[in-house]
Amino acid sequence: MRTYLTPLRKIRLMCGIVGYVSKASVDNADHSALDVVLSGLKRLEYRGYDSAGVALVTAGGELETAKKAGKLSALTDELAEHPLPAAQTGIGHTRWATHGGPTDANAHPHLADGGKLAVIHNGIIENFAHLKADLVAEGVEFLSQTDTEVAAAQLAKNFQTTGDLTEAMRVTATQLEGAFTLLAVHADAPGTVVAARRNSPLVIGLGEGENFLGSDVAAFIDYTRTAVEIGQDEVVTITPDAVVITDIEGNEVQGTQYEVNWDTAAAEKGGFASFMDKEIHDQPQAVADTLLGRMDTDGKLALDEMHIDETVLKTIDKIVVIACGTAAYAGQVARYAIEHWCRVPVEVELAHEFRYRDPVVNEKTLVVAISQSGETMDTIMAVRHARQQGAKVIAICNTYGSTIPRESDAALYTHAGPEIAVASTKAFLSQVVACYLLGLYLAQLRGNKFRDEIAAILTELQAIPAKVQRVLDEDKEQVLALARRNQDVDSVLFLGRHVGFPVAMEGALKLKELAYIHAEGFAAGELKHGPIALIDDGQLVIIVVPSKRGRDSLHAKVISNIQEVRARGANTVVIAEEGDEEVREFASEVIYVPETTTLMAPLLTTVPLQIFAMELATAKGLDVDQPRNLAKSVTVE
Ligand code: AGP
């Protein structure tokens, strides 16, 4: 019997959001609501998206909407053909779909209250199914499967009760679970946009006789540089002459006002100098979002789109991971965990080698295809070969609707949001997390792990976002200085053991592709079998040291590997767990990361290596977002 674990959740993250109100009359306004909303969505265009839409409320109290799948140009073409009436109140949305097709129906805004209320949304509403059941029982009809339409209907219900859009939004926010940024306009409230946020970005822009809302300042930076931060669980009402912020109980609060001193290009990168720097800092959120919505109400893992019969998953006798580059290293990391948890052999194959190896693959093989873009031709061809051999294929992908998940039997989406920089960072961490979720799900299904064991592992996973943030907050300056001091090196070796080995290879890849420096990642134990001949006086060697609390003797063995290279003159930089004082005597420098479990360590130890490669490339004056010779997605074999 085919059993599907959970209804499809419509997960939308990293969407672009714009809101605008102005008191100027449409006849003498410098810019209309539509001008502002479309230019804001264009500023957010770099994020990539699958659909876009707008909702306007005219001074006469009509609500007008337009929405279209595809790029923003599809919406503007639609508007050119079917123009909307002039208005000075409006909201707009671009959707980066990770669940739910990029279709007109799934595009925002979603309507309610007889078409008089329009809502746009970014995030995940965890309890939307429960709310929807109650609304359906009350006779509400839905046009889409989205959680957003449920939020809109709930807001409409509360608006009918309260008669006030702000109060209705506040009540609605108390009824929602999960992460959301909601913006709403109503035909009966021209000149007003109401919003609420929890665990999802929203910022206010202050103007003269006009005010703005955006998922980040890029949405309105062409019109104002005066911004106001909004706190967690707060409700915002903007009108042309006022901005009112309240907490979830309805008490008025003050936001934090600041001037945006970024230029527009920087604003599109969230104030960071490069998309890569931004995306390295997106990692806590990317990990948190990849974990979000993956457990059901009684704490069991619930993986959307796992459209593979549980009976099949219970009988597989081998797992083969296929991927390229960084994605393959994510698979290498995951292999240690999945074998440890599920007691099923896991092979990790470079996709471009896989089918030429004439692999032993059959209906008892589960193939896991890892790809950020979902368009890597080597991986696509490997997926096709695996399926021809009868294997079931699960795609772990960051791009909804791309080729690899479409050609797989199931998909487990990472929720890292658009990754713009060619060198992959947040996608890597999200891929490891998604692989871990898959491994825990299989262990749960096959009975290899008790629920309390799985719960304990998930608890440590859920602690990772904060620990990654600590690495960013506490280690970044030290790593930046280390990179600048070493900007003239011509080769770097990276060493690691166990899960530290693929981390060493990923660190080497980052340095190669960003700083154009020869770098190589080795299993530390392999050194004495040849590569140690490379060690010369002053050779920079970066070593990822496992926790002393981890696998027995592994820590001691890596220490002896460090001694081996130091004895030959190496300059040893160590990445170690905070509190590990033993490594100090063998290291010219130690970069400490927070304590975690052995299998979770790669999610922390990788981050300093990303920063090191980025900063060394920057010190050499190189373009870290678009390195030479590389493409973000390798769509040729
Ligand atoms: C990683 O920094 C590189 N950009 C590259 O190795 C990349 O991971 C590889 O090409 C696979 O891409 P995919 O995840 O989109 O399939």
Side-chain angles (χ1 to χ4, degrees):
M1 175 189 75
R2 288 176 80 86
T3 53
Y4 295 148
L5 290 146
T6 55
L8 285 188
R9 278 193 183 80
K10 302 302 172 200
I11 292 181
R12 252 165 249 87
L13 301 149
M14 296 293 285
C15 300
I17 280 187
V18 186
Y20 177 70
V21 286
S22 163
K23 70 180 173 190
S25 78
V26 292
D27 304 331
N28 61 16
D30 294 341
H31 35 259
S32 70
L34 188 59
D35 295 339
V36 172
V37 166
L38 290 179
S39 66
L41 295 182
K42 183 127 188 70
R43 281 272 172 232
L44 301 172
E45 188 169 23
Y46 67 84
R47 299 162 177 255
Y49 47 79
D50 304 292
S51 61
V54 295
L56 304 176
V57 177
T58 66
E62 292 105 37
L63 175 66
E64 304 286 346
T65 62
K67 57 184 189 177
K68 203 74 186 155
K71 292 198 174 303
L72 187 57
S73 53
L75 177 64
T76 48
D77 293 348
E78 170 75 12
L79 289 166
E81 208 173 319
H82 307 291
L84 297 180
Q88 294 306 96
T89 303
I91 56 178
H93 181 274
T94 53
R95 179 167 177 260
W96 167 265
T98 49
H99 281 56
T103 61
D104 293 359
N106 282 335
H108 298 207
H110 287 278
L111 302 181
D113 201 12
K116 297 177 73 176
L117 173 72
V119 172
I120 59 177
H121 165 229
N122 181 16
I124 303 167
I125 294 170
E126 290 276 280
N127 61 331
F128 87 100
H130 170 72
L131 292 172
K132 184 170 184 176
D134 291 348
L135 290 162
V136 167
E138 292 162 12
V140 177
E141 290 182 9
F142 289 91
L143 303 176
S144 79
Q145 298 298 314
T146 64
D147 52 354
T148 307
E149 195 181 6
V150 173
Q154 192 67 22
L155 179 60
K157 177 179 171 183
N158 293 326
F159 184 59
Q160 290 307 316
T161 311
T162 62
D164 176 276
L165 197 55
T166 299
E167 178 58 10
M169 180 65 86
R170 186 191 68 77
V171 172
T172 304
T174 64
Q175 296 164 334
L176 301 182
E177 294 168 13
F180 55 81
T181 297
L182 292 169
L183 260 64
V185 289
H186 197 287
D188 296 348
T192 303
V193 178
V194 178
R197 69 163 293 266
R198 180 186 301 154
N199 291 329
S200 180
L202 183 65
V203 61
I204 301 167
L206 301 180
E208 295 294 323
E210 58 184 8
N211 287 305
F212 308 78
L213 289 169
S215 40
D216 64 49
V217 294
F220 49 70
I221 196 166
D222 290 332
Y223 302 95
T224 180
R225 288 179 169 272
T226 305
V228 175
E229 267 180 15
I230 305 171
Q232 188 75 311
D233 269 322
E234 291 183 351
V235 177
V236 183
T237 303
I238 64 168
T239 58
D241 294 317
V243 170
V244 177
I245 307 170
T246 65
D247 62 19
I248 200 86
E249 282 79 38
N251 308 308
E252 198 163 327
V253 296
Q254 291 305 316
T256 308
Q257 184 168 321
Y258 63 95
E259 289 304 310
V260 180
N261 52 17
W262 306 327
D263 62 28
T264 45
E268 289 178 355
K269 298 166 191 155
F272 291 98
S274 63
F275 282 114
M276 179 160 190
D277 200 7
K278 174 181 178 297
E279 288 156 12
I280 286 173
H281 288 78
D282 283 346
Q283 292 185 116
Q285 192 67 50
V287 170
D289 289 344
T290 299
L291 289 169
L292 208 51
R294 283 343 226 292
M295 279 191 287
D296 57 23
T297 45
D298 61 19
K300 278 188 73 175
L301 274 167
L303 302 185
D304 284 354
E305 284 113 281
M306 282 300 289
H307 290 175
I308 296 179
D309 280 5
E310 292 183 355
T311 48
V312 170
L313 295 174
K314 283 177 179 172
T315 56
I316 57 163
D317 61 9
K318 178 165 76 168
I319 294 172
V320 177
V321 176
I322 52 175
C324 300
T326 289
Y329 297 142
Q332 294 272 15
V333 168
R335 172 187 177 198
Y336 291 89
I338 297 175
E339 285 190 334
H340 183 65
W341 294 332
C342 302
R343 309 313 299 149
V344 172
V346 179
E347 297 169 8
V348 182
E349 287 288 336
L350 290 172
H352 39 79
E353 288 290 318
F354 175 69
R355 59 199 176 103
Y356 301 109
R357 188 178 65 105
D358 199 9
V360 178
V361 168
N362 56 40
E363 67 286 344
K364 297 189 79 171
T365 306
L366 177 65
V367 167
V368 181
I370 305 175
S371 175
Q372 188 286 130
S373 65
E375 299 300 343
T376 298
M377 188 51 73
D378 289 321
T379 309
I380 291 170
M381 298 310 286
V383 164
R384 291 176 182 165
H385 181 80
R387 298 196 75 199
Q388 284 158 9
Q389 307 303 310
K392 292 296 183 195
V393 180
I394 292 180
I396 290 184
C397 187
N398 195 45
T399 310
Y400 182 87
S402 55
T403 303
I404 291 169
R406 275 209 320 275
E407 297 199 11
S408 299
D409 297 285
L412 185 57
Y413 284 99
T414 52
H415 300 147
E419 190 175 68
I420 311 297
V422 167
S424 188
T425 50
K426 61 179 182 174
F428 174 79
L429 259 58
S430 300
Q431 287 161 356
V432 172
V433 170
C435 287
Y436 282 9
L437 288 170
L438 175 62
L440 290 169
Y441 170 67
L442 293 172
Q444 171 183 287
L445 188 66
R446 299 162 61 98
N448 303 91
K449 285 279 175 196
F450 299 126
R451 284 189 52 195
D452 55 352
E453 292 175 306
I454 291 171
I457 296 167
L458 284 171
T459 300
E460 183 50 36
L461 257 176
Q462 281 156 347
I464 290 298
K467 293 184 177 181
V468 172
Q469 190 59 52
R470 274 193 55 205
V471 173
L472 295 169
D473 295 343
E474 298 169 14
D475 292 341
K476 184 171 183 182
E477 289 313 313
Q478 181 188 357
V479 177
L480 294 179
L482 173 71
R484 292 168 195 148
R485 282 201 308 276
N486 287 282
Q487 68 179 40
D488 299 323
V489 294
D490 53 15
S491 94
V492 180
L493 306 186
F494 293 78
L495 305 184
R497 284 185 94 119
H498 195 255
V499 289
F501 171 30
V503 171
M505 291 195 287
E506 170 59 10
L509 175 60
K510 284 288 147 311
L511 201 57
K512 281 184 272 198
E513 62 179 336
L514 289 166
Y516 316 150
I517 289 173
H518 180 260
E520 205 161 345
F522 292 101
E526 182 62 12
L527 220 59
K528 54 189 173 299
H529 299 286
I532 199 164
L534 287 170
I535 304 300
D536 205 344
D537 197 36
Q539 170 68 51
L540 177 57
V541 181
I542 298 177
I543 308 100
V544 180
V545 174
S547 163
K548 292 179 72 171
R549 298 169 294 106
R551 292 219 63 132
D552 52 319
S553 81
L554 213 50
H555 181 271
K557 284 192 169 62
V558 175
I559 292 293
S560 64
N561 296 142
I562 297 173
Q563 288 173 297
E564 286 161 16
V565 296
R566 270 180 78 83
R568 290 159 178 82
N571 168 15
T572 51
V573 172
V574 166
I575 315 281
E577 183 176 80
E578 63 189 2
D580 183 347
E581 292 302 318
E582 191 178 336
V583 299
R584 281 189 186 280
E585 69 173 290
F586 309 109
S588 53
E589 181 157 3
V590 184
I591 296 160
Y592 284 109
V593 297
E595 190 179 295
T596 186
T597 60
T598 295
L599 294 172
M600 299 301 152
L603 297 168
L604 304 181
T605 54
T606 304
V607 178
L609 306 185
Q610 296 168 339
I611 298 169
F612 177 75
M614 175 185 69
E615 185 60 14
L616 207 154
T618 302
K620 294 178 70 171
L622 301 173
D623 178 352
V624 294
D625 284 340
Q626 301 284 344
R628 70 185 181 193
N629 309 339
L630 297 180
K632 182 60 185 168
S633 176
V634 183
T635 56
V636 292
E637 272 198 291

